[in-house]
Amino acid sequence: MSSVPTIDNPQEAYYKNNMDINTFLQNKKAYLAYNNFRKQIFSDLSPEDSERILYMLPWMLSLNDPAVPGYVPDLAAPLTVHGVSEDTGILKREGVFRNLLKINRPVSVKDKPDCAHVIHGLYTIGSIGTVSQTSGSDCDIWICIEKKDFSDIQFQQLVQKTNLIKDWLDIYSRIPVYFFICDVEDIRQSNFGSVDRESAGSTQTNTLKEEFYRTTIMIAGKIPLWWLCYNQDREMDYATFLSRFGRGDFGGDGCLDLGALDSVESEEYFGAALWFFNKALTQPLKSIIKMLLLEMLISSPRHELLCHQFRSTILRREKDPQLIDPSTFTMEAVLKYHQKLDGQTFDFIKKCFYLRYEFKLNLKTTMKEILGKEIFKRHPIPRQDIDQLNTFAAWPLEEQIRFGQQVFDLLVDIYKRVSAMQQGGCGSVNPQDMNMIGRKLSVCLESRPGKILAFHRPLRNLNIPRLVFSIDNQKVWSAATPDGRSIVAGPDLVYCITCLIWNGIYQPELIKMTPNATSVTLQEINRLAERIRDIFGVHDVSAIDFDYFTEPEKVTKMLIVVTFDGQSPDRDGHDFSVIYKNLWGEIFVSRFRTPA
């Protein structure tokens, strides 16, 4: 348990924590109903994967049988997820699990081993089981233990077991699953280390904890005690409430102390915004929602946490819990905050939410659309715009790129507003981080001679059309769609090919070439394109090591292409193009002709 501070005024502490057992049980009942609703959303969006993650995962962790994924020979101590042997949702599925694994003998978590090490809880964090879960979502799962209770070999075997289960899930689940074994004491202290794959840098501590409390699904195990520390009639002090729980005032041990969360400093939100902006440089639509959220949170009082507001909404039960989830709640808050912007920008933000969450209003009636419909009743999008957004995947490439540019422009505006909020100071954010973000931003925006600018992709998968290379009478090459819409053009064919490769829209099977007077062939174009991709890859400035932006510019890779696209008399070896990339992730193409 966390340490309990001395209370100077016992009467005031009692008033703040005057929760009777009935209120506690009502909170617990409301939380479990909400948690089951989240599981229903997950099941609705991913019927098969949700079964493996919500029910089969804790079952596999609690068994050590050669026929069950996660088997570790010579396991030093058995493992069990708290409460799994009485979990009716898991027990009624055991026969299905055995059939799936072709086990013809009794294997059950009801046979709870003696002296088993307890996994206190399995929890998701993020978009899983919310309307923001999409076809591209992954599932981050915290496996919470008291690490001090594990010897080194026992902990390593737990890591081994989770890795084996992950290997099995990688094969049989569509949703990528990532496990993070978390020490409960570290979570109490908001010491997350590498808990988050998309960590917001060294400045992130309580921001991740706020997201956890607001978005988590309890897969199995103990209820986070923080969720039950609520009384709608009076303020609650978590430390005193924890002390009462520890004394047994509320009975049972089915709750887990993961620590309080009273406030988040604006500097933490600002640091998170910087790092999410880095991610947004190559995945703008994915990150725009978090950037909009962080802008709102930075301007909010430090103690008015969104997770507190969400907990209050759920436990007060003023609304039908079947119409509330973390993403729609957050979306409502963000839209209310940003509706002060000009109408055109606000309308565009609504479209970003619609595309990011992959709503299909008027086409589908899943839980996602039911919840989304409630939001767009209050913040409507015209019917014709919804119909158009529903077909976004089929938009012409140049229209998708144009939308991506608008998203990127909005991100830059948010970055400027967030920076202005700091009034020139960065608080706990390292000034060097500010400089590196600025450099990365210039990599994406600054036009320089010969530099290939990146297209801002709103989604990972664009509608890549057939492209036809041609050269006109002025010897200008272009790659255009069959109906003549140019994607890239210039006097150097090597530049055009590199631009398509760098932006990830070159697919050899979709490339054609019109007959022309040059001696270059389509086969040569494809071979060069493959070579360029092998050497330089595709644009991803977010993957460039931050330390590189503290160093002077220097070339890291170079390819020289000699006499590629000249007409036959000109293919004399004196005409060549140079493709080169610097350590900041910029790529350039320069063309030269040496004297004969």
Side-chain angles (χ1 to χ4, degrees):
M1 292 290 182
S2 298
S3 60
V4 180
T6 302
I7 304 297
D8 296 328
N9 189 334
Q11 288 185 336
E12 179 181 351
Y14 175 80
Y15 178 77
K16 282 187 174 184
N17 293 276
N18 186 17
M19 178 192 290
D20 58 27
I21 184 67
N22 288 332
T23 301
F24 179 86
L25 293 176
Q26 287 172 5
N27 288 349
K28 184 176 181 181
K29 181 179 179 180
Y31 172 81
L32 291 174
Y34 156 72
N35 195 65
N36 286 334
F37 173 57
R38 290 286 306 283
K39 289 182 177 181
Q40 289 173 20
I41 297 176
F42 190 13
S43 178
D44 187 56
L45 296 175
S46 304
E48 294 184 2
D49 286 346
S50 63
E51 287 290 305
R52 295 186 179 95
I53 292 170
L54 295 177
Y55 304 104
M56 196 171 182
L57 169 60
W59 185 78
M60 291 187 290
L61 281 169
S62 301
L63 293 170
N64 195 53
D65 187 281
V68 177
Y71 173 67
V72 177
D74 302 319
L75 189 66
L79 294 163
T80 186
V81 177
H82 174 85
V84 73
S85 60
E86 295 87 31
D87 190 313
T88 56
I90 293 173
L91 294 178
K92 72 180 183 180
R93 290 171 168 84
E94 283 196 304
V96 176
F97 299 158
R98 288 194 293 265
N99 289 337
L100 179 66
L101 299 173
K102 298 180 173 56
I103 302 175
N104 299 318
R105 49 191 170 76
V107 175
S108 176
V109 292
K110 288 188 291 186
D111 303 324
K112 184 178 178 180
D114 296 329
C115 303
H117 276 312
V118 176
I119 295 172
H120 293 290
L122 305 176
Y123 310 94
T124 69
I125 178 174
S127 63
I128 286 296
T130 74
V131 301
S132 60
Q133 179 184 331
T134 68
S135 56
S137 293
D138 45 38
C139 183
D140 290 353
I141 297 174
W142 291 9
I143 301 175
C144 295
I145 63 168
E146 293 278 6
K147 192 173 180 180
K148 61 181 175 57
D149 295 336
F150 285 70
S151 67
D152 289 344
I153 184 62
Q154 290 166 349
F155 181 77
Q156 290 305 316
Q157 287 182 332
L158 172 60
V159 173
Q160 181 184 0
K161 189 174 187 68
T162 57
N163 286 338
L164 291 169
I165 292 174
K166 175 174 168 45
D167 290 342
W168 185 85
L169 289 170
D170 285 345
I171 296 172
Y172 292 102
S173 293
R174 294 182 180 180
I175 296 177
V177 177
Y178 300 93
F179 293 127
F180 300 90
I181 300 176
C182 305
D183 183 11
V184 169
E185 183 59 31
D186 282 340
I187 299 177
R188 290 176 188 141
Q189 303 300 326
S190 296
N191 178 23
F192 293 110
S194 60
V195 164
D196 182 28
R197 289 177 300 108
E198 296 184 351
S199 174
S202 59
T203 57
Q204 175 165 298
T205 53
N206 288 323
T207 53
L208 187 60
K209 195 168 189 175
E210 192 279 333
E211 181 184 4
F212 171 78
Y213 276 145
R214 178 165 42 87
T215 67
T216 187
I217 297 175
M218 181 184 69
I219 296 174
K222 299 180 180 181
I223 299 172
L225 185 64
W226 173 91
W227 253 96
L228 307 185
C229 180
Y230 176 77
N231 190 328
Q232 67 181 46
D233 297 324
R234 55 184 59 88
E235 182 183 352
M236 297 290 294
D237 177 77
Y238 184 82
T240 310
F241 173 75
L242 173 62
S243 178
R244 290 189 61 194
F245 177 81
R247 291 198 306 266
D249 288 6
F250 304 116
D253 65 345
C255 299
L256 181 62
D257 169 32
L258 295 174
L261 184 62
D262 297 324
S263 64
V264 178
E265 301 297 333
S266 62
E267 287 83 359
E268 285 191 43
Y269 287 135
F270 184 65
L274 289 180
W275 288 79
F276 280 123
F277 186 80
N278 170 53
K279 201 71 178 177
L281 294 178
T282 49
Q283 300 180 43
L285 191 56
K286 180 177 180 180
S287 299
I288 187 69
I289 307 305
K290 286 191 175 181
M291 288 292 291
L292 289 166
L293 170 62
L294 287 166
E295 180 185 10
M296 179 191 75
L297 295 175
I298 289 170
S299 66
S300 302
R302 57 191 289 273
H303 58 280
E304 292 185 5
L305 299 182
L306 204 58
C307 62
H308 287 178
Q309 299 172 43
F310 185 63
R311 177 182 62 180
S312 172
T313 299
I314 296 298
L315 298 185
R316 281 177 181 268
R317 290 173 289 185
E318 294 176 347
K319 298 181 180 180
D320 184 353
Q322 300 294 308
L323 294 177
I324 305 171
D325 88 322
S327 292
T328 53
F329 183 85
T330 302
M331 182 177 171
E332 177 74 29
V334 171
L335 289 176
K336 282 185 177 179
Y337 175 82
H338 287 91
Q339 63 186 2
K340 63 188 178 183
L341 298 174
D342 65 272
Q344 185 175 1
T345 301
F346 185 64
D347 288 343
F348 184 73
I349 288 174
K350 289 187 288 185
K351 292 179 180 179
C352 288
F353 270 105
Y354 191 94
L355 288 177
R356 168 63 184 89
Y357 290 173
E358 295 184 3
F359 288 117
K360 294 294 182 183
L361 298 185
N362 306 330
L363 292 179
K364 295 182 178 181
T365 56
T366 66
M367 187 64 70
K368 179 193 286 280
E369 278 63 47
I370 292 172
L371 294 171
K373 187 176 181 180
E374 293 298 313
I375 288 289
F376 291 114
K377 278 183 181 178
R378 295 186 290 275
H379 305 283
I381 297 177
R383 173 66 182 258
Q384 63 271 22
D385 288 351
I386 287 178
D387 292 341
Q388 187 180 31
L389 291 169
N390 286 342
T391 63
F392 184 82
W395 285 16
L397 175 64
E398 61 271 26
E399 291 185 19
Q400 291 180 331
I401 292 174
R402 191 179 303 117
F403 190 95
Q405 182 62 53
Q406 288 179 272
V407 176
F408 190 81
D409 291 343
L410 177 59
L411 281 165
V412 173
D413 289 342
I414 296 171
Y415 175 76
K416 291 177 180 177
R417 292 197 297 266
V418 167
S419 297
M421 290 178 189
Q422 298 302 299
Q423 298 179 346
C426 303
S428 62
V429 180
N430 190 329
Q432 189 172 347
D433 289 349
M434 289 287 293
N435 293 333
M436 290 188 290
I437 287 289
R439 285 241 181 132
K440 283 202 169 188
L441 182 57
S442 69
V443 165
C444 291
L445 295 177
E446 185 181 9
S447 179
R448 299 168 62 188
K451 178 180 172 179
I452 293 178
L453 290 177
F455 300 154
H456 298 297
R457 307 168 66 99
L459 300 174
R460 185 180 300 275
N461 297 317
L462 297 177
N463 182 23
I464 300 176
R466 294 184 179 276
L467 294 175
V468 180
F469 280 106
S470 63
I471 185 170
D472 63 17
N473 294 332
Q474 282 72 44
K475 296 187 178 181
V476 173
W477 283 96
S478 69
T481 59
D483 59 358
R485 291 175 284 119
S486 178
I487 303 301
V488 62
D492 186 1
L493 177 57
V494 175
Y495 179 93
C496 295
I497 297 170
T498 306
C499 180
L500 297 177
I501 290 292
W502 188 236
N503 283 288
I505 56 176
Y506 189 102
Q507 294 186 2
E509 67 275 13
L510 298 179
I511 300 297
K512 303 294 181 184
M513 185 172 66
T514 60
N516 57 73
T518 68
S519 57
V520 66
T521 66
L522 183 59
Q523 185 179 28
E524 289 175 320
I525 290 176
N526 284 330
R527 284 177 179 173
L528 177 60
E530 182 179 2
R531 184 65 171 158
I532 293 171
R533 181 185 286 115
D534 288 344
I535 294 175
F536 300 101
V538 297
H539 170 72
D540 184 6
V541 69
S542 69
I544 303 298
D545 192 315
F546 265 93
D547 290 339
Y548 290 166
F549 290 92
T550 65
E551 301 179 21
E553 180 183 5
K554 66 180 179 182
V555 175
T556 57
K557 293 181 179 181
M558 179 180 290
L559 175 66
I560 299 175
V561 184
V562 180
T563 317
F564 183 70
D565 62 339
Q567 297 184 15
S568 296
D570 298 327
R571 303 190 84 172
D572 52 12
H574 295 285
D575 179 82
F576 59 95
S577 298
V578 178
I579 311 170
Y580 59 97
K581 181 180 178 181
N582 63 25
L583 81 170
W584 299 340
E586 294 174 295
I587 193 168
F588 301 81
V589 179
S590 297
R591 188 164 183 170
F592 303 93
R593 181 168 179 80
T594 62

